[in-house]
Amino acid sequence: MSKKHLYSSTDKMSDIICDNYSLLQVMSRFGLPLGFGDHSVEEVCKNSHVDCPTFLAVANFINKGHSRSSLPQTEISVESLMVYLKNAHHYFLDFQLPTIRRKLLEAIDCSMDNEVTFLILKFFDSYVKEVRNHMSYEDMYVFTYVEKLLKGKKSEDYDINMFVRHHDHINEKLTELKNSIIKYYPVSKKGYMMNAVLFDIFNCEKDLVSHNAVEDHLFVPAVLQLEEEVMKNLDHQNTSNKVEETNDKEETKSAQDDLSQREKEIICCVVKGMSNKEIAENLFISVHTVITHRRNIARKLQIHSPTLLTVYAIVNKLVDISEVKVGI
Ligand SMILES: [Fe+2]
Ligand SMILES: [Fe+2]
């Protein structure tokens, strides 16, 4: 395998890790444990309920030096990718950066009365604060927004382009710190320790660049697509609701229009409390004809109860409320 090779679901997980050991970080952030024996990438993902195409998209993106153009079009699971990003935040804030600080403290030769060492520590602490703010914003706003999107809801006052507009590159300050140490750190007995810290800072810097690139080039496009789908669904729902409303209105209208003049007269008689015999006499028709009309009215209006027929007659102004016989 090489950087030109694209990892696939049938590759052995152990082979791709040996090919590029930085994928160990990718594995742990997706929640994939070690001890996978000779299992393929697909099997390992399946055993831990991780979306395999999303894992491969990130692994290949990192292996290809953050180039997306050479990657096949993959359906990325926004949910899976968000787990990866959240775990990465947790790793940086609760493990990687505190570890670097501890090593930095050890490496700084406090016996030397040198302000440079304290300035380095101060600079590092202010950097960690920035990273914490950056990641807290993503946890609190971006991921919360995307979680709602996944439930089919679209926020009115936030979209992923707002995140894109102010997504800054948090690794820059770390590069500055690293360069300052390399250039200006005073000669010390514990030089090997400072070099070990520098090694960690180099790795952390690379990892942060990678993290931001995954957010910009994999996460954002996948969320944009999700936004589009949610908007389409909501539009479709709105249109269906409007069509249903219009249909309801038209059905009521056509049912009423469909009533013959004689049927309307019979409704008036019914709601005035007249019996079939009285209606027949009043309209000079047979009782049998009255019954047939009433059956047709019930079918056309889908109303079978005299009470609801009364409501219908009042709402549609077939009778005045004062004419209605109370108790129907
Ligand atoms: Fe992030
Ligand atoms: Fe970020």
Side-chain angles (χ1 to χ4, degrees), residues 89 135 138 211 215:
H89 288 182
M135 292 182 176
E138 287 169 359
H211 176 79
E215 284 174 338

Side-chain angles (χ1 to χ4, degrees), residues 96-130:
Q96 175 80 307
L97 292 168
T99 305
I100 291 179
R101 190 183 195 276
R102 212 175 46 245
K103 286 190 179 176
L104 200 55
L105 266 174
E106 269 184 66
I108 285 174
D109 190 355
C110 294
S111 62
M112 289 170 65
D113 188 16
N114 194 319
E115 280 192 354
V116 175
T117 56
F118 293 103
L119 285 176
I120 285 172
L121 202 58
K122 206 175 154 193
F123 189 87
F124 181 78
D125 285 345
S126 74
Y127 170 71
V128 171
K129 203 174 161 194
E130 260 183 42

Side-chain angles (χ1 to χ4, degrees), residues 174-197:
L174 203 56
T175 312
E176 215 178 306
L177 173 68
K178 183 190 73 190
N179 290 340
S180 299
I181 297 175
I182 294 171
K183 289 182 190 168
Y184 308 116
Y185 191 71
V187 180
S188 148
K189 288 176 207 159
K190 294 184 180 176
Y192 65 93
M193 283 182 80
M194 188 49 93
N195 284 3
V197 179

Side-chain angles (χ1 to χ4, degrees), residues 48-310:
S48 293
H49 310 288
V50 169
D51 185 69
C52 184
T54 308
F55 170 79
L56 280 170
V58 175
N60 281 317
F61 179 72
I62 288 173
N63 196 46
K64 288 273 178 185
H66 307 156
S67 151
R68 226 203 149 188
S69 56
S70 50
L71 299 181
Q73 283 285 340
T74 318
E75 191 72 28
I76 282 177
S77 153
V78 174
E79 215 167 354
S80 245
L81 193 52
M82 209 156 55
V83 169
Y84 167 86
L85 294 172
K86 280 182 182 177
N87 284 338
H89 288 182
H90 177 65
Y91 173 82
F92 285 119
L93 295 174
D94 303 326
F95 177 72
Q96 175 80 307
L97 292 168
T99 305
I100 291 179
R101 190 183 195 276
R102 212 175 46 245
K103 286 190 179 176
L104 200 55
L105 266 174
E106 269 184 66
I108 285 174
D109 190 355
C110 294
S111 62
M112 289 170 65
D113 188 16
N114 194 319
E115 280 192 354
V116 175
T117 56
F118 293 103
L119 285 176
I120 285 172
L121 202 58
K122 206 175 154 193
F123 189 87
F124 181 78
D125 285 345
S126 74
Y127 170 71
V128 171
K129 203 174 161 194
E130 260 183 42
V131 177
R132 196 171 289 283
N133 288 342
H134 178 109
M135 292 182 176
S136 298
Y137 170 81
E138 287 169 359
D139 287 336
M140 284 168 65
Y141 293 95
V142 187
F143 296 159
T144 308
Y145 165 72
V146 175
E147 272 156 10
K148 278 189 188 162
L149 266 187
L150 285 165
K151 287 179 188 158
K153 294 174 193 161
K154 174 78 183 72
S155 163
E156 298 264 309
D157 46 13
Y158 194 83
D159 62 45
I160 202 66
N161 279 321
M162 289 169 81
F163 165 65
V164 173
R165 278 196 290 278
H166 73 265
H167 190 217
D168 50 353
H169 289 213
I170 39 172
N171 59 298
E172 281 162 13
K173 222 174 176 180
L174 203 56
T175 312
E176 215 178 306
L177 173 68
K178 183 190 73 190
N179 290 340
S180 299
I181 297 175
I182 294 171
K183 289 182 190 168
Y184 308 116
Y185 191 71
V187 180
S188 148
K189 288 176 207 159
K190 294 184 180 176
Y192 65 93
M193 283 182 80
M194 188 49 93
N195 284 3
V197 179
L198 278 174
F199 191 78
D200 284 355
I201 296 178
F202 268 102
N203 274 334
C204 185
E205 184 190 12
K206 198 174 154 201
D207 206 2
L208 280 166
V209 170
S210 214
H211 176 79
N212 263 19
V214 169
E215 284 174 338
D216 289 339
H217 301 289
L218 296 181
F219 183 63
V220 167
V223 175
L224 278 170
Q225 201 183 325
L226 178 66
E227 270 180 351
E228 230 173 81
E229 284 163 21
V230 170
M231 294 296 282
K232 233 186 252 172
N233 275 347
L234 289 175
D235 278 354
H236 181 72
Q237 268 175 27
N238 284 342
T239 315
S240 306
N241 287 347
K242 275 181 193 159
V243 168
E244 260 174 42
E245 265 174 39
T246 314
N247 284 348
D248 283 351
K249 276 182 197 161
E250 275 173 6
E251 257 174 41
T252 314
K253 190 168 162 253
S254 62
Q256 195 185 339
D257 287 351
D258 219 20
L259 289 175
S260 67
Q261 191 50 40
R262 179 61 91 194
E263 286 162 346
K264 287 178 187 170
E265 286 169 5
I266 289 180
I267 290 174
C268 291
C269 296
V270 173
V271 300
K272 283 175 190 167
M274 293 163 73
S275 66
N276 286 344
K277 192 168 173 260
E278 286 168 328
I279 297 170
E281 284 169 3
N282 197 41
L283 297 178
F284 305 104
I285 52 177
S286 70
V287 172
H288 177 73
T289 309
V290 173
I291 292 169
T292 309
H293 279 309
R294 288 191 69 167
R295 203 181 294 133
N296 288 341
I297 291 166
R299 182 180 48 79
K300 286 182 186 175
L301 300 181
Q302 287 299 299
I303 295 175
H304 302 276
S305 122
T307 311
L308 291 180
L309 193 62
T310 307

